[in-house]
């Protein structure tokens, strides 16, 4: 950000989180469960799609990305479905807090 590195991880997941106006605590809890339990890593025998970030004790890097809520209207992006900054910041921080509670806080960046 502005030429400065804010965070980094080793092995793990990079989560680009787009927060919608319609997102609630229920969606937040669902996202946390899905991200931490998503089986995208191979196991010790090399079998693909069998281990989660928690199984492997990997890290999770989260990036708030409102542009994922973009709707194209002709040739112009429309972000009216993205949660406004004030609400989204609180939602995002709550999301990080829930990830840290459900997993290892030091592995959530």
């Amino acid at each position: 950000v502005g030429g400065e590195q804010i965070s980094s991880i080793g092995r793990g997941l990079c989560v680009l989180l787009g927060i919608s106006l319609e997102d609630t605590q229920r969606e937040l809890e669902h996202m946390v469960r899905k991200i931490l339990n998503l089986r995208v890593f191979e196991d010790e025998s090399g079998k693909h799609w069998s281990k989660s970030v928690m199984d492997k004790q990997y890290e999770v890097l989260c990036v708030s990305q409102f542009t994922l809520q973009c709707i194209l209207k002709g040739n112009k992006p429309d972000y009216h479905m993205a949660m406004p900054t004030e609400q989204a910041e609180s939602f995002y921080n709550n999301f990080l807090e829930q990830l840290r509670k459900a997993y290892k806080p030091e592995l959530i960046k």
Side-chain angles (χ1 to χ4, degrees), residues 3 29-30 36 57 64-65 70:
E29 292 166 2
H30 178 78
L36 294 177
Q57 302 294 296
S64 179
Q65 191 67 37
C70 175

Side-chain angles (χ1 to χ4, degrees), residues 19-21 64 66 82-95:
I19 305 168
S20 165
L21 277 172
S64 179
F66 79 94
M83 189 177 284
T85 304
E86 302 76 33
Q87 290 174 272
E89 185 174 5
S90 173
F91 190 95
Y92 180 71
N93 288 331
N94 189 16
F95 172 76

Side-chain angles (χ1 to χ4, degrees), residues 39-44 46-52 55:
R39 295 181 302 181
V40 294
F41 301 103
E42 58 186 40
D43 66 14
E44 296 73 28
K47 182 180 176 194
H48 297 289
W49 313 110
S50 57
K51 296 290 183 177
S52 71
D55 294 332

